[in-house]
Amino acid sequence: MYVIGTAGHVDHGKSTLVQALTGTHPDRLKEEREREMTIDLGFAWLTLPNGEDVGIVDVPGHRDFIENMLAGIGGIDAVIFVIAADEGIMPQTREHLAILDLLQIPSGIVALTKTDLIDDPDWLDLVEEDIRAALRGTVLEKSPVLRVSSRTKQGISELLQALTDCLAERPPRPDLKRPRLPVDRVFTIAGFGTVVTGTLSDGGLRTGEEVQVLPAGIRGRVRGLQTHKKKEDFAVPGSRTAVNISGVNVDQVKRGDVIVHPGDYQPTRRVDVRFRLLPDISRPLEHSTEVKMYLGAAEVVARVRLLGSEQLDPGQDGWLQLELNEPLVAVRGDRYILRRPSPGETLGGGAIVDPQPQKRHKRFYAETIEHLESLARGSPAEILLQSLLALGVAVLGEVLARSNLDAETARQAYNELYSSGQILPLEAPTGEADSIPYHPTLLVTSLASWEQLANRAIQEVEVYHRTNPLRRGIPREELKSRLKLAPRMFNAVMRKLVTNGLIEERGPHVFKPGYTIQFTQLQKRQQEALLARFAASPYAPPTSKDCISEVGDDLYNAMIDLDMLTPVPPDVVFRTEDYHKMVEEIRKLLEKQGTISAAEVRDHFNTSRRYALAVLEYLDAQGITVREGDVRRLK
Ligand SMILES: Nc1nc2c(ncn2[C@@H]2O[C@H](COP(=O)(O)OP(=O)(O)OP(=O)(O)O)[C@@H](O)[C@H]2O)c(=O)[nH]1
Ligand SMILES: [Mg+2]
């Protein structure tokens, strides 16, 4: 599951666009409605054209509420970056863009809103040129710019499609079995107690489990879970999740806290980070500056220790150690933002390199810097896994090339991931049974991608069953095109799904294990009546057209799917048992007499020439017989 966020200058139409996309206006507070301005985060969700549900976090654009914006923007997979056509790029357009870039938000779409206010297409072209220039060198550099109007709904369906496409390219959220939910909202529901919401990452949460509120460490139990207002027993990573927690009072948990499994994470008061100071900052960053740090939904006051230089000039990168006034939960690789408290100014940000440094580092110490540099690169296994996650399903050679590790290190990293089940070969390994398969052409995937792919495939099959209750299952080719997989990958995925007992395949159909077509009483009677007509005249039975007009397309096709009837093109159809009997007898005759004519078949089965010819042509097509002039012989 994915979460999309909005961003952009105040009043540029973010919330209205969310309403146009989802039907829900994300502004919840009375004051927001009155002032027509978003103050705090808003939430909505929608179902994309491909059936995928995504959550939406709507943020305020006004600079006074940038801290609320920062609490919501961290966990998103993609952004809708909103710029109003009548105003173009404004100060918070630039500030939000810088934040998206520092957080390395992986994908996005630029929505040029309020286009209904502009009659002059040249103006729109000019604004778009400005936007392109501003995006250059940022994470959104390659993002499409779409012209929309929430008022006239112009461009909204194109925007939905673009969102679908951009999320389809995202690797799945990894399930590291270490869930954490940065809390962005806390409230109570009468009769249920404390509820927190957030974007779940790194693992799933299950009803009944024990959880812990960090940094305080208070324990509670998951009493209920919801995603997009739907109750569920298990919330998957990447979903907007509401958790009803028993045993925790509403005043014991606040925005910025993190819900985890007890013992999985330790809060920290000190972090080592890579940092980039934005280029258009008013003055250099000095050692010992007091800043506000934003990570997940949390905000803490921190003191900056500049480890490698006297000061950082605008646009420069550096290594910092941050001493935090209050503990927070941080994980290596998490992105964060720093702001100057007053006057408020976004300074820059980067990634956590060491969330639990053992000591206060000495400044200007080469060994410390080297240590941080190697930590920032990550362990070989992490690098390899990242390459794999980015590719989804790929041949091992491609994954190795992308990781850029030397052969020996790559092999070790691979073995490590293979042994811990993080990397899965999709095809039967060749070679010795107990050795770890390792070959550049081996098709592999990550556990996370596999689970996502398997779930998608099963979901497609289930949807097909629901919408086509009279079909045996989804045709294999249709499933392939819905999953958008190359043939080799699709075949490998299917094989594994069948081996794991997650789906069954018979003939051209793919179905849920144990799925049977449920006929109504009326359909059963219709079927029996039709089969009785076949029984009365097995070799000159009703034609396919007759059948369809008697029982309808769906029921007729179901009878074929279930192998009750065997169609013989173009329009003849037999009961399957009668068809097999015919083939057997023709075969016997051919074995005895060498050749057979249509007239002989007609007379043998006491049928008409039409049926006899249809059967013989079908046998030719099946490669059972060959035609020689007016007669056939066995092939
Ligand atoms: N004509 C026109 N007006 C729009 C359109 N979209 C939004 N508006 C108007 O612009 C104003 C601001 O819209 P919002 O959606 O509240 O803007 P916002 O970006 O959410 O603002 P903040 O959350 O405060 O940053 C409202 O009066 C909307 O009715 C549009 O496509 N066309
Ligand atoms: Mg708004």
Side-chain angles (χ1 to χ4, degrees), residues 4 24 64 72 91 115-116 170 211 230 270 288 308 395 405 439 462 474 481 487 493 520 531 555 579 582:
I4 298 170
T24 306
D64 286 357
T115 49
D116 57 289
R170 297 280 314 130
V211 287
K230 249 197 345 256
R270 177 189 285 151
S288 217
V395 291
L405 297 168
H439 193 272
E462 281 171 351
I474 183 169
S481 75
V493 166
T520 63
L531 288 173
L555 191 50
Y579 171 73
M582 281 179 102

Side-chain angles (χ1 to χ4, degrees), residues 6 10-16 25-27 32 36-40 58-61:
T6 60
V10 63
D11 231 20
H12 276 201
K14 297 178 288 300
S15 303
T16 312
H25 199 291
D27 287 348
E32 292 181 315
E36 268 204 30
M37 178 189 286
T38 305
I39 294 169
D40 205 348
D58 181 47
V59 308

Side-chain angles (χ1 to χ4, degrees), residues 282-495:
S282 57
R283 56 199 155 101
L285 180 68
E286 280 153 13
H287 182 68
S288 217
T289 305
E290 193 175 86
V291 296
K292 279 187 180 171
M293 177 184 197
Y294 299 83
L295 192 158
E299 168 190 330
V300 297
V301 174
R303 192 163 294 280
V304 169
R305 306 195 60 242
L306 272 172
L307 298 178
S309 57
E310 278 302 342
Q311 64 169 44
L312 277 185
D313 290 327
Q316 269 191 327
D317 285 28
W319 299 103
L320 314 184
Q321 187 162 58
L322 298 169
E323 302 282 357
L324 314 177
N325 277 10
E326 292 161 78
L328 58 65
V329 174
V331 172
R332 205 170 72 74
D334 281 355
R335 315 288 311 189
Y336 69 92
I337 298 288
L338 296 187
R339 280 176 57 82
R340 212 187 281 283
S342 68
E345 181 179 33
T346 298
L347 292 169
I352 304 286
V353 175
D354 186 350
Q356 312 269 353
Q358 293 306 307
K359 56 178 194 313
R360 208 176 134 97
H361 297 307
K362 265 192 251 155
R363 296 180 68 202
F364 309 111
Y365 195 57
E367 233 169 78
T368 303
I369 304 292
E370 273 162 34
H371 170 68
L372 291 176
E373 276 168 358
S374 90
L375 271 182
R377 280 193 296 274
S379 76
E382 283 166 345
I383 294 171
L384 193 62
L385 187 58
Q386 286 308 319
S387 316
L388 184 58
L389 284 171
L391 292 168
V393 178
V395 291
L396 182 55
E398 200 183 337
V399 183
L400 296 175
R402 191 185 170 101
S403 75
N404 210 13
L405 297 168
D406 69 83
E408 183 48 38
T409 312
R411 176 87 200 222
Q412 274 175 18
Y414 175 84
N415 288 354
E416 197 180 305
L417 293 173
Y418 183 90
S419 306
S420 66
Q422 289 291 322
I423 197 165
L424 302 173
L426 274 179
E427 291 161 331
T430 51
E432 284 167 44
D434 56 349
S435 71
I436 293 180
Y438 190 80
H439 193 272
T441 63
L442 183 70
L443 204 54
V444 293
T445 189
S446 62
L447 182 61
S449 300
W450 165 252
E451 285 176 350
Q452 200 204 25
L453 207 53
N455 285 338
R456 256 178 63 209
I458 292 166
Q459 204 182 346
E460 290 291 358
V461 174
E462 281 171 351
V463 167
Y464 192 89
H465 282 323
R466 262 202 309 282
T467 46
N468 302 277
L470 286 182
R471 296 309 302 258
R472 182 90 185 82
I474 183 169
R476 189 185 163 97
E477 282 307 307
E478 187 170 338
L479 182 59
K480 184 170 125 197
S481 75
R482 290 199 189 185
L483 293 178
K484 295 202 184 74
L485 287 174
R488 178 175 171 204
M489 294 179 187
F490 177 71
N491 291 338
V493 166
M494 290 299 286
R495 215 159 22 231

